[in-house]
Amino acid sequence: MNGNSMNNDEIDALRQQIDETDKTLVKFLNKRAELSIKIGEAKRKSSPPSNETDIYYPEREAKVLANLETANRGPLTGSALHAIWNEILSSSRSLQRTLRIGYLGPPATFTQEAAKKLFGSSAEYVPCNTVADVFYETSKRTVTYGVVPIENSTEGAVTHTMDTLVESDLQICAEIRLPVTENLLSNGTLEQIRKVYSHPQALGQCRRWLSTHLPRAERIETASTALAAQMAQTPDSAAIATATAAEVYNLKVLVPHIEDSATNVTRFLVIGPHMAGRSGRDRTALVFSVRDRVGALHDALRGFAANSINLTRIESRPSRRKLWDYVFFVDLEGHPEDELVAAAIRQLEQECPFVKVLGAWPYFPDEAGDGK
């Protein structure tokens, strides 16, 4: 027997081991599904669910993923395990009830990609025309949860989402961070293009590339990147959108990876009727206004320092209530049920005329290249 045949025999033996391992995996995945069904039945007997959100517990799923991180010895990476288990969790939820997820549409937007990253292929996805529509459909309960963009690593905040969070009774219960690859889609050539359609954030993320390669092309803002793909159907037009949008809307990927920054990441929020429970590794978002006096913002923030609360983000926005009046958005480490966070919020309420907790969610610092 020559060396090649011996090598083939070894490969066949390894493939046989993979086949046997796959059978074992199927057995244990079904065992896990059976346990999940039993938990759902037990919950319904002890306390009938009020609505279909009761099958999604971000804090519990965060602990499942944290346990995987602890148990993992490789060679699979933590992000690979997260992706696999998100599909397992998705299928487990669907055995009880199918979640309907509203997102900024039409189909093939980055928001839909983010939603699928978290909720998996077993959920039903419902496109909405605007960010406000996502909030509206979620508040009406025509969808179970909504997914909306909140911030990009190069272009900053999505102000429509921030403003609507202040007005809405919905709460943030999860976060998704998605590495974003922008593509120029068109059925024409680069020389033919006179109009480039896309969402303002996407246009901003590709500003330098557009100025270099399409300096004379008109930049036209659209409500979403997928809508841009729908509109760019003539040879003299192009869209900045996902590669999936090219397939859905019969366009070619004329130039891939046109984003100006190599580390282009967008944060998305999941909104629903209540915030996530405490997981032990959490983020909380809140908004507040200050009185019109010297040192008001300093005094408002003092409680966080006094209680050793780390603020991970602070941003101001016009309050839209009166001229030159502002509100401040803050993300912080911890959960409102944590003793120190609760104390800081109480102190903030004493200093400020308006304070609103926007939600809390489990946080995984290693996702999307975030090393914090």
Side-chain angles (χ1 to χ4, degrees):
M1 187 176 291
N2 60 35
N4 287 337
S5 61
M6 287 181 63
N7 189 46
N8 288 338
D9 289 342
E10 289 173 358
I11 291 173
D12 288 341
L14 291 171
R15 284 173 174 166
Q16 187 173 353
Q17 289 182 51
I18 286 177
D19 292 342
E20 293 303 317
T21 302
D22 286 345
K23 292 176 184 177
T24 303
L25 283 173
V26 170
K27 176 183 175 181
F28 280 105
L29 285 173
N30 279 313
K31 177 63 176 176
R32 190 189 191 285
E34 290 170 0
L35 293 170
S36 179
I37 291 171
K38 288 180 180 178
I39 289 173
E41 291 172 348
K43 286 178 181 176
R44 284 191 291 273
K45 289 178 182 177
S46 61
S47 177
S50 58
N51 54 58
E52 53 189 350
T53 62
D54 292 317
I55 66 172
Y56 173 54
Y57 293 89
E59 65 276 18
R60 167 58 187 161
E61 295 190 2
K63 289 178 180 177
V64 169
L65 295 174
N67 289 339
L68 292 174
E69 288 180 355
T70 302
N72 185 29
R73 296 294 178 269
L76 285 175
T77 64
S79 60
L81 275 178
H82 278 211
I84 293 167
W85 247 260
N86 277 340
E87 282 299 333
I88 292 172
L89 294 169
S90 177
S91 61
S92 293
R93 290 186 221 109
S94 69
L95 292 172
Q96 300 178 51
R97 196 178 296 110
T98 299
L99 293 180
R100 302 185 78 238
I101 310 301
Y103 69 93
L104 178 61
T109 58
F110 288 108
T111 310
Q112 186 182 29
E113 286 190 7
K116 286 185 174 180
K117 179 181 178 182
L118 178 63
F119 289 104
S121 58
S122 296
E124 178 185 352
Y125 295 94
V126 181
C128 301
N129 292 329
T130 65
V131 165
D133 289 339
V134 177
F135 276 85
Y136 179 70
E137 297 300 332
T138 308
S139 64
K140 282 203 316 178
R141 312 309 304 136
T142 54
V143 298
T144 325
Y145 291 97
V147 177
V148 291
I150 184 64
E151 182 183 22
N152 177 262
S153 57
T154 58
E155 285 301 297
V158 180
T159 55
H160 295 310
T161 302
M162 295 174 68
D163 293 339
T164 311
L165 279 168
V166 178
E167 301 165 357
S168 175
D169 292 329
L170 296 172
Q171 296 251 288
I172 305 165
C173 62
E175 173 186 305
I176 312 154
R177 295 187 295 285
L178 184 73
V180 171
T181 298
E182 304 285 9
N183 305 279
L184 188 73
L185 313 183
S186 180
N187 285 325
T189 64
L190 206 59
E191 293 73 23
Q192 290 176 291
I193 293 171
R194 296 293 178 267
K195 294 174 289 186
V196 179
Y197 297 93
S198 200
H199 187 274
Q201 286 268 336
L203 290 169
Q205 292 162 30
C206 305
R207 188 179 293 113
R208 194 182 314 126
W209 190 94
L210 291 170
S211 295
T212 301
H213 298 278
L214 292 171
R216 295 181 180 83
E218 180 185 4
R219 303 173 195 181
I220 303 172
E221 295 184 356
T222 58
S224 70
T225 54
L227 180 59
Q230 282 185 334
M231 298 174 69
Q233 295 297 315
T234 57
D236 66 340
S237 62
I240 299 173
T242 65
T244 304
E247 299 175 10
V248 172
Y249 301 107
N250 298 313
L251 296 170
K252 295 180 295 185
V253 178
L254 194 60
V255 186
H257 298 282
I258 67 169
E259 63 275 6
D260 294 333
S261 172
T263 55
N264 188 20
V265 178
T266 298
R267 291 175 61 222
F268 298 84
L269 301 177
V270 180
I271 52 173
H274 50 73
M275 71 178 71
R278 186 176 182 272
S279 73
R281 185 166 63 176
D282 303 291
R283 288 280 169 94
T284 295
L286 52 86
V287 61
F288 63 90
S289 63
V290 296
R291 295 181 174 87
D292 187 12
R293 62 175 176 80
V294 175
L297 181 59
H298 173 272
D299 292 342
L301 297 176
R302 188 168 49 194
F304 297 110
N307 288 281
S308 301
I309 303 300
N310 184 34
L311 303 184
T312 60
R313 174 174 175 259
I314 182 166
E315 188 155 349
S316 64
R317 284 284 298 152
S319 69
R320 305 202 296 182
R321 294 174 181 173
K322 64 179 182 179
L323 194 63
W324 311 122
D325 185 46
Y326 289 84
V327 293
F328 297 87
F329 292 81
V330 166
D331 287 0
L332 58 87
E333 291 181 352
H335 192 280
E337 294 177 3
D338 296 342
E339 183 178 347
L340 292 177
V341 175
I345 293 174
R346 286 195 298 270
Q347 189 166 339
L348 185 68
E349 290 171 339
Q350 292 172 2
E351 293 285 347
C352 300
F354 168 71
V355 177
K356 179 181 179 183
V357 176
L358 301 174
W361 62 93
Y363 183 74
F364 291 93
D366 58 339
E367 288 189 356
D370 183 356
K372 293 179 182 178

